Amino acid sequence: QVQLVESGGGLVQAGGSLRLSCAASGTIFRPNVMGWYRQAPGKQRELVATITSGGYTNYADSVKGRFTISRDNAKSTVYLQMNSLKPEDTAVYYCKVNVFSSDYWGQGTQVTVSS
């Protein structure tokens, strides 16, 4: 069973930065796609960014140019560097990884951006 441990959320002022981390354990296989999603109160969960094992990245239009996703395959860890944060980025951020066509979700980490 794959376990995901997220860290790095918190409270930051608008314009500030945060870095999220998500470490996968419980598998000897390299995750295929790793990504970040977020869910704001009263809204559906939405994709933020994904990265394949080969390093191909995909971003939501709302975060392009501000967020950067990366991964360390040796550590089975995915990161999300968030810069120029806006109040509308406030949400619970979830890590998701795909291993052999199965998806696994992290427990979520709160990101709050004050104006």
Side-chain angles (χ1 to χ4, degrees):
Q1 183 72 12
V2 176
Q3 294 89 39
L4 303 176
V5 178
E6 302 165 353
S7 61
L11 173 64
V12 65
Q13 289 188 333
S17 298
L18 284 174
R19 188 191 194 211
L20 305 183
S21 300
C22 174
S25 62
T27 178
I28 62 172
F29 300 105
R30 176 181 295 180
N32 181 14
V33 181
M34 307 180 81
W36 291 94
Y37 293 71
R38 67 187 181 187
Q39 187 167 18
K43 295 187 177 181
Q44 290 188 332
R45 191 172 298 187
E46 63 177 4
L47 178 145
V48 176
T50 59
I51 184 168
T52 68
S53 58
Y56 179 81
T57 59
N58 180 51
Y59 295 92
D61 289 342
S62 59
V63 306
K64 283 181 181 177
R66 300 188 298 122
F67 291 10
T68 301
I69 189 170
S70 61
R71 64 189 283 173
D72 184 333
N73 288 327
K75 297 180 179 180
S76 293
T77 300
V78 61
Y79 306 95
L80 186 68
Q81 178 66 43
M82 305 185 293
N83 299 328
S84 302
L85 282 161
K86 304 175 181 180
E88 51 263 44
D89 295 318
T90 295
V92 178
Y93 284 70
Y94 296 90
C95 168
K96 187 179 87 168
V97 302
N98 178 274
V99 181
F100 277 126
S101 299
S102 293
D103 290 333
Y104 301 90
W105 290 90
Q107 79 283 1
T109 184
Q110 178 70 46
V111 171
T112 302
V113 185
S114 63
S115 57

